[in-house]
Amino acid sequence: MGAGAMEASSPAAFDGDGTSTTIEDLPADVLALVLRRLDGASLAAVGCASSGLHGLATDPDTWRALCLAMWPSVRDLLPCLGLGGGDVDHRAFFADAFPFPCSDSPSPPPPSPSHPQPQPLPARLVSAVDLSHAGVSILSRVVETDADSDWFLGAPFRVDALVQEGFTLPTAASASGISHADLELNWVLLDPATGRALNASSRRAVAVDRKWLTGDTVARFAVVLSGGEGGVALDAAVTCDERYGHVREVSLRVEDADGAGVSGRDGLAAVAAAMAAPRRRGCRGGAAAEDAARERYEDFVRGKRARKEWKARREGILDLCCSGVGAAAFLGFLVMLTFR
């Protein structure tokens, strides 16, 4: 029998006088302090151990503290959600926002005459954005987006987290340069109408693109979703000027398998489908999930490159065929003139 099975079958410890003592014999306030030191996955697992621990593990204040520790911008959600004297269900929020969305989540079905819009699109999106460098928070804000306007639905899907031109990192980071390995971006999308949330960034950069002409670098924190052939990617990006430690842009866009920007309507459909999809086992957060997100993005980029090469070959063949047809027509014309 393994150690885990032995612990599960022997939850009690015995004192010298033969009396048994369980963890639940500890005072509730002491247990609550212990549970507040756990991460979200461990806290949820402890809540399944017994009814007593379940009550402590579902304490709203514990989950609120856990959410604030991971996403400081959550403290500003109440006025944006219009809850007044209410409160956010932080436990449900964590369950939605902590795991990365599964890349095999079902994509939204195409519109049909009987179901012109299979799933209502969010009329408003709220973004909780937190950017840190080497563990120091440098940006924490909530962004509201009117997703019901014709301009947003028709234009490429894009949300900007910066309202000013940009900002400079703290002195220490500016002096030593921006280390993209030390950048961490959390971007959580929330639909106020349904209360569902979606993790839209990979926390650690999955790719870094350098623009040598401008001196800028773009750190990408992309998450790949399904949504048609090849899928779509939520491309959360941080654009930096490494020379001066200046952050120019923090933005979120949606791109398809060809690398083209997706319209606001199609992007919202993919986001709404991912929000409505059940959270599956294996779709978690943590270092292993960050590595998996990087691998999915690399597969996405390889597929995008293969599609581009295939299209280039197809266009080359079409150009060759057109040139052949044109040459044949010209030769036929010359033959006709000769025999006249």
Side-chain angles (χ1 to χ4, degrees):
M1 182 180 294
M6 293 179 61
E7 291 176 1
S9 60
S10 305
F14 292 90
D15 297 333
D17 57 359
T19 60
S20 62
T21 302
T22 67
I23 190 173
E24 294 185 50
D25 290 329
L26 293 173
D29 54 346
V30 175
L31 275 176
L33 292 175
V34 172
L35 295 184
R36 288 196 177 193
R37 296 180 176 271
L38 299 178
D39 57 52
S42 301
L43 186 60
V46 167
C48 299
S50 67
S51 58
L53 290 175
H54 177 76
L56 291 173
T58 55
D59 175 54
D61 291 338
T62 300
W63 283 101
R64 182 177 184 276
L66 193 61
C67 287
L68 289 177
M70 178 162 287
W71 307 292
S73 59
V74 169
R75 70 176 71 252
D76 299 322
L77 278 180
L78 287 181
C80 293
L81 298 181
L83 296 178
D87 199 0
V88 179
D89 186 347
H90 291 92
R91 187 181 177 212
F93 180 85
F94 191 95
D96 279 346
F98 178 70
F100 295 129
C102 289
S103 58
D104 59 348
S105 299
S107 59
S112 63
S114 58
H115 300 85
Q117 182 57 58
Q119 185 170 333
L121 300 180
R124 191 162 61 103
L125 279 180
V126 176
S127 300
V129 185
D130 293 283
L131 177 65
S132 62
H133 183 270
V136 178
S137 176
I138 56 178
L139 173 68
S140 180
R141 68 187 304 259
V142 172
V143 181
E144 296 182 75
T145 303
D146 179 12
D148 198 29
S149 65
D150 293 335
W151 179 86
F152 181 86
L153 295 174
F157 185 104
R158 182 182 175 92
V159 179
D160 289 298
L162 289 183
V163 293
Q164 68 271 28
E165 181 66 23
F167 64 90
T168 302
L169 269 65
T171 305
S174 299
S176 60
I178 300 174
S179 171
H180 297 96
D182 292 332
L183 278 177
E184 182 173 336
L185 176 66
N186 284 286
W187 192 308
V188 179
L189 291 174
L190 180 70
D191 179 4
T194 62
R196 295 301 300 269
L198 177 69
N199 190 336
S201 66
S202 58
R203 284 193 285 273
R204 298 289 181 181
V206 296
V208 178
D209 301 329
R210 287 178 169 82
K211 301 179 180 179
W212 302 108
L213 292 178
T214 62
D216 291 345
T217 60
V218 181
R220 303 194 180 279
F221 301 79
V223 174
V224 178
L225 303 176
S226 62
E229 184 180 357
V232 297
L234 301 178
D235 184 15
V238 179
T239 302
C240 308
D241 185 339
E242 289 186 328
R243 296 169 298 180
Y244 305 108
H246 189 70
V247 177
R248 295 187 184 276
E249 292 181 356
V250 182
S251 62
L252 175 69
R253 61 188 292 267
V254 182
E255 67 172 12
D256 60 16
D258 295 324
V262 173
S263 69
R265 186 182 303 277
D266 293 338
L268 279 178
V271 168
M275 285 180 175
R279 299 297 179 257
R280 304 178 186 179
R281 292 188 61 183
C283 302
R284 300 182 178 180
E290 291 172 7
D291 293 338
R294 180 190 298 272
E295 293 176 2
R296 286 199 298 270
Y297 182 73
E298 291 173 352
D299 290 340
F300 180 82
V301 172
R302 282 193 291 268
K304 182 169 59 176
R305 188 180 301 116
R307 287 170 63 86
K308 184 179 295 185
E309 292 173 354
W310 176 79
K311 286 186 176 182
R313 288 196 300 269
R314 185 183 65 177
E315 291 175 358
I317 293 173
L318 289 176
D319 290 342
L320 184 61
C321 291
C322 292
S323 299
V325 171
F330 180 71
L331 289 175
F333 178 73
L334 289 180
V335 170
M336 289 177 61
L337 289 178
T338 302
F339 284 99
R340 282 185 181 181

